[in-house]
Amino acid sequence: MENSIKEDKLLRGGQFLVKETKAEDVFTPEDFTEEQKMMRDSVKEFVDREIWPKKEEFEKKNYALTEEVMGKAGELGFLGVAVPEEYDGLGMGFVSTMLVCDYISGATGSIATAFGAHTGIGTLPILLYGNEEQRKKYIPKLATGEWFGAYCLTEPGAGSDANSGKTKAELTDDGKNYKINGQKMWISNAGFASVFIVFARIQDDKNITGFIVEYDKENPNGITFGEEEKKLGIHASSTRQVFFNDTVVSAENMLSERGNGFKIAMNALNVGRIKLAAASLEAQRRVTDVAVKYANDRVQFKTPIAKFGAIKSKLAEMATSAWVGEAASYRAAKNIEDRINLRLEAGASHSDAELKTFEEYAIECSILKVACSEDVQNCSDEGIQVLGGMGFSADTPMESAWRDARIARIYEGTNEINRMLAVGMLIKKAMKGHVDLLGPAQAVGEELTGIPSMDKPDFNELFAEEKDMIKKLKKVFLMVAGRAVQKFGQDLEEHQQLLMAASDILIEAYMAESGILRAEKNVKRFGEDSQKEQIAMARLYLYHAVDIVNQKAKEGIASFAEGDEQRMMLMGLKRFTKYDRMPNVVELRNTIAEKLTSENKYCF
Ligand SMILES: Cc1cc2nc3c(=O)[nH]c(=O)nc-3n(C[C@H](O)[C@H](O)[C@H](O)COP(=O)(O)OP(=O)(O)OC[C@H]3O[C@@H](n4cnc5c(N)ncnc54)[C@H](O)[C@@H]3O)c2cc1C
């Protein structure tokens, strides 16, 4: 197994906050191997042939088309990228898994959802938690698209509170089977799946248990379905209620152990979250692409609208969010891939290596899910605006892109839940000593009360100011979250608005840093002249991040600190969010927009 990275250089989950990352140690999309580029191009070619031209059909709720496209994706191996070769998959690493998910998802949210539900939450629980017989029986069929998978966790009364489901599994008298009774809701792929991962409670267990339940139309075994849900977007993604009426499942189909279902459900979601971030990227690229072409063509006041500053600003912001999303998603993906490989080298089984790693990087998975799902929404919203009335028309791809993007903030854990999880998990890691937050938080506390350092970075060095700013943004998080933990202890989880504000600071620090590191690495290898637009995007994103951090930190500080303490923290915040050299944001946006319009496409 090839392993270019040494353990000491590999950032552990959550460690980005307290450990400086060097540009040469991050993976960026410019690092894709030839094999990965070939994979990307073949997925793109598939989407341009099978999905993009049929967008209208997807909007007309052609569920059969979704099933057909999924079948073809299976034939080409796209459903089995992450599946080991011994189970008829391609056995590629996590970066390639993200890559396929990214490029297959951009043309319609219907395929993005069907693909995500099948390859992620529909397949992974068996791959990661199934025993050898279960894997041998189901994974090859799922990897090749012979069967499709669905994941039944949500119920009418159990959404975000996923462990509260009422579906029951009762052992039959002979001890050989379980009978499942209950109602599941919002189940993606329900209309065409043959394998359902079902979570049910045995007796009065504290935690639910996972089961693999087969569905065969000829022998429905007590499984019935509600009508297709009428949804705002992802029109051709099948979403139904699933009812289990004395559904008999062999006891051998229990996943892992009794009571382990909540853990399975959550770990499958960790992977789903980072893949959802990837699934938001190509949509942003395509939307930006359409907007750039339209802006170049559309003439008003005898001028192509692309020449107007108001439009340039939008195009630049759209491209920037896509580009930074790529930087952060693939940075985390490679950390995950490297960590899995290190665990495999140390003798862990494939499933163990993956499981432990996804658990370790759950913070980054939540950060990316929130950031990229909100970026794709903003990007498609501005895309509509660039097209004006035509953007509002269902005849252009903006309208469905906007509707499709909306679901990403809801499923795989709502963005509120993910925001709180990100901070909560980080604090837990600190308490367990996995990430040293205490030392750095104390240092920030001392800095606040000490004499401010007059040391300045060497501004002749590219990104000196920006890298210094990233360090300061991390200090803001440590200052706000550190003090909040001291103040509220275990009760912090009751202070949700404070947690949400802290989470936004964390998210912005990770995303902005990823953008700066990508640009820096590219400047080092390709030269500054060729990277001026990337430099501009990294700076533009950071500029917004600083504003958000400032606003959220103020909100947080004012919510729990008073008098001298509040004044001290606000002064610290001012220092930590102050630019020595304020960037010229208008010029940055113009640089980015001019490149986009001259290339007439999303060109980064
Ligand atoms: C199109 C679609 C496809 C889906 N696919 C699947 C699938 O394949 N399988 C599956 O099992 N599920 C699926 N879901 C369900 C999805 O995961 C849930 O909708 C989601 O987890 C939210 O649950 P809920 O809808 O019950 O909302 P609720 O949990 O009722 O949340 C409502 C609001 O309250 C907030 N909220 C809830 N609890 C808290 C809290 N503790 N603190 C602060 N705010 C809170 C939420 O953030 C949200 O804003 C799908 C949903 C949709 C719409």
Side-chain angles (χ1 to χ4, degrees):
M1 186 186 323
E2 214 177 291
N3 218 345
S4 56
I5 196 128
K6 296 271 168 294
E7 173 133 27
D8 59 336
K9 291 215 168 158
L10 179 53
L11 211 57
R12 300 197 78 103
Q15 229 180 23
F16 74 90
L17 191 67
V18 286
K19 196 171 168 188
E20 194 178 336
T21 305
K22 292 208 165 26
E24 52 270 30
D25 293 334
V26 291
F27 180 88
T28 78
E30 292 74 18
D31 292 308
F32 288 145
T33 61
E34 285 310 310
E35 188 190 38
Q36 284 164 341
K37 285 183 199 157
M38 272 165 58
M39 191 53 146
R40 177 193 61 195
D41 294 344
S42 67
V43 176
K44 262 168 120 170
E45 191 269 327
F46 174 74
V47 172
D48 285 332
R49 177 166 36 92
E50 300 287 345
I51 308 176
W52 190 249
K54 300 174 188 166
K55 245 183 111 58
E56 217 174 300
E57 275 304 300
F58 287 105
E59 292 321 305
K60 285 186 194 152
K61 306 190 178 179
N62 188 340
Y63 303 103
L65 181 59
T66 298
E67 189 179 347
E68 185 191 315
V69 168
M70 285 290 288
K72 287 182 181 167
E75 283 163 22
L76 292 169
F78 299 152
L79 303 181
V81 206
V83 171
E85 284 164 296
E86 57 184 305
Y87 304 114
D88 293 355
L90 299 182
M92 294 173 86
F94 192 63
V95 171
S96 303
T97 302
M98 288 280 280
L99 192 73
V100 172
C101 180
D102 171 351
Y103 282 90
I104 210 164
S105 300
T108 163
S110 297
I111 291 296
T113 302
F115 180 86
H118 171 79
T119 58
I121 51 186
T123 302
L124 278 180
I126 308 179
L127 195 59
L128 298 182
Y129 288 95
N131 57 35
E132 196 48 28
E133 282 88 74
Q134 291 169 339
R135 283 192 211 139
K136 273 197 187 129
K137 181 168 179 195
Y138 296 104
I139 299 293
K141 287 192 165 72
L142 291 167
T144 53
E146 191 182 333
W147 282 1
F148 294 112
Y151 170 93
C152 299
L153 177 65
T154 308
E155 299 183 10
S160 300
D161 187 6
N163 200 24
S164 69
K166 290 193 167 62
T167 298
K168 285 277 181 196
E170 193 187 341
L171 194 63
T172 51
D173 293 341
D174 58 9
K176 287 186 182 156
N177 298 302
Y178 280 92
K179 257 191 201 165
I180 298 189
N181 281 288
Q183 175 183 5
K184 296 288 176 177
M185 198 172 178
W186 301 119
I187 307 307
S188 301
N189 294 353
F192 61 93
S194 305
V195 181
F196 290 81
I197 308 295
V198 181
F199 296 94
R201 193 175 311 278
I202 300 172
Q203 294 173 326
D204 291 325
D205 288 0
K206 180 166 165 254
N207 289 319
I208 50 182
T209 299
F211 294 90
I212 308 169
V213 180
E214 289 178 33
Y215 174 71
D216 173 3
K217 245 190 264 171
E218 308 303 321
N219 173 24
N221 186 15
I223 301 175
T224 54
F225 300 94
E227 290 296 312
E228 286 290 349
E229 301 288 349
K230 298 181 183 72
K231 308 188 294 285
L232 171 71
I234 55 167
H235 275 169
S237 159
S238 169
T239 323
R240 293 176 167 216
Q241 294 200 50
V242 185
F243 302 90
F244 299 93
N245 269 304
D246 283 343
T247 300
V248 179
V249 185
S250 162
E252 285 167 7
N253 275 22
M254 183 188 284
L255 260 179
S256 175
E257 290 159 20
R258 177 172 171 173
N260 221 10
F262 189 56
K263 197 167 171 197
I264 299 174
M266 292 303 110
N267 274 331
L269 284 176
N270 284 336
V271 192
R273 283 167 188 158
I274 186 169
K275 283 178 68 188
L276 187 59
S280 309
L281 298 175
E282 176 69 352
Q284 290 185 69
R285 291 186 207 105
R286 281 186 187 253
V287 159
T288 308
D289 211 67
V290 171
V292 169
K293 289 182 170 67
Y294 187 87
N296 271 336
D297 278 354
R298 175 71 175 164
V299 174
Q300 285 293 281
F301 304 96
K302 301 198 176 92
T303 313
I305 60 167
K307 298 238 181 280
F308 295 133
I311 298 296
K312 284 187 191 176
S313 157
K314 292 185 195 308
L315 298 176
E317 297 287 357
M318 291 162 75
T320 299
S321 76
W323 184 84
V324 170
E326 289 170 358
S329 300
Y330 287 103
R331 171 191 181 189
K334 185 65 161 71
N335 286 158
I336 289 173
E337 182 171 300
D338 286 338
R339 176 64 66 194
I340 291 172
N341 285 342
L342 282 174
R343 289 199 158 107
L344 288 173
E345 275 177 2
S349 69
H350 189 270
S351 52
D352 229 39
E354 293 214 337
L355 266 176
K356 289 214 167 76
T357 304
F358 285 116
E359 226 172 340
E360 177 182 336
Y361 289 93
I363 297 166
E364 285 79 358
C365 294
S366 284
I367 287 176
L368 284 163
K369 192 271 182 188
V370 172
C372 295
S373 64
E374 294 181 3
D375 283 344
V376 69
Q377 182 89 72
N378 294 335
C379 189
S380 51
D381 194 72
E382 288 293 52
I384 290 183
Q385 202 65 17
V386 171
L387 268 67
M390 284 313 288
F392 200 65
S393 160
D395 289 338
T396 66
M398 295 307 188
E399 180 258 1
S400 63
W402 185 83
R403 286 186 289 97
D404 284 1
R406 189 62 185 84
I407 185 60
R409 288 164 55 195
I410 297 170
Y411 58 20
E412 308 274 350
T414 65
N415 282 13
E416 292 73 36
I417 296 290
N418 271 291
R419 277 190 161 88
M420 287 183 288
L421 273 177
V423 178
M425 290 186 293
L426 191 58
I427 292 172
K428 244 185 227 154
K429 266 182 182 257
M431 304 268 189
K432 284 187 183 162
H434 294 172
V435 176
D436 175 23
L437 289 191
L438 198 66
Q442 272 168 352
V444 175
E446 282 158 23
E447 198 178 331
L448 285 180
T449 48
I451 300 163
S453 157
M454 289 298 150
D455 287 351
K456 294 267 182 250
D458 176 1
F459 291 121
N460 292 319
E461 214 179 281
L462 180 72
F463 289 138
E465 166 111 48
E466 288 77 8
K467 281 163 50 178
D468 189 51
M469 183 61 91
I470 298 282
K471 274 191 207 153
K472 293 192 291 188
L473 296 187
K474 293 178 183 177
K475 285 183 187 175
V476 175
F477 178 84
L478 291 166
M479 172 176 79
V480 176
R483 191 71 192 103
V485 171
Q486 266 181 347
K487 201 142 203 157
F488 300 117
Q490 299 287 352
D491 294 338
L492 182 58
E493 62 182 33
E494 307 297 324
H495 299 263
Q496 284 197 350
Q497 297 191 48
L498 175 55
L499 281 174
M500 304 277 282
S503 189
D504 282 331
I505 301 170
L506 190 67
I507 292 168
E508 292 305 323
Y510 188 73
M511 300 302 288
E513 181 182 57
S514 303
I516 298 289
L517 291 171
R518 178 179 182 184
E520 190 189 356
K521 187 172 186 186
N522 287 341
V523 166
K524 281 186 176 151
R525 57 185 154 179
F526 306 127
E528 196 169 332
D529 284 349
S530 72
Q531 299 299 306
K532 64 179 199 301
E533 295 83 16
Q534 276 86 341
I535 296 171
M537 287 191 285
R539 287 187 168 144
L540 179 61
Y541 193 96
L542 176 63
Y543 172 82
H544 291 309
V546 172
D547 260 1
I548 295 170
V549 168
N550 198 353
Q551 183 202 340
K552 296 292 169 180
K554 252 191 259 172
E555 208 178 288
I557 292 166
S559 78
F560 68 78
E562 287 175 351
D564 282 349
E565 186 189 18
Q566 188 188 88
R567 267 189 292 280
M568 183 184 67
M569 291 181 84
L570 289 176
M571 263 166 59
L573 177 62
K574 205 166 170 190
R575 216 186 311 152
F576 293 149
T577 51
K578 183 175 167 292
Y579 271 106
D580 269 284
R581 299 179 176 193
M582 183 57 90
N584 180 344
V585 174
V586 172
E587 199 176 291
L588 295 178
R589 291 200 196 104
N590 286 344
T591 302
I592 303 161
E594 271 148 31
K595 177 76 174 171
L596 289 164
T597 47
S598 70
E599 300 262 337
N600 200 27
K601 61 180 184 192
Y602 176 84
C603 51
F604 304 113

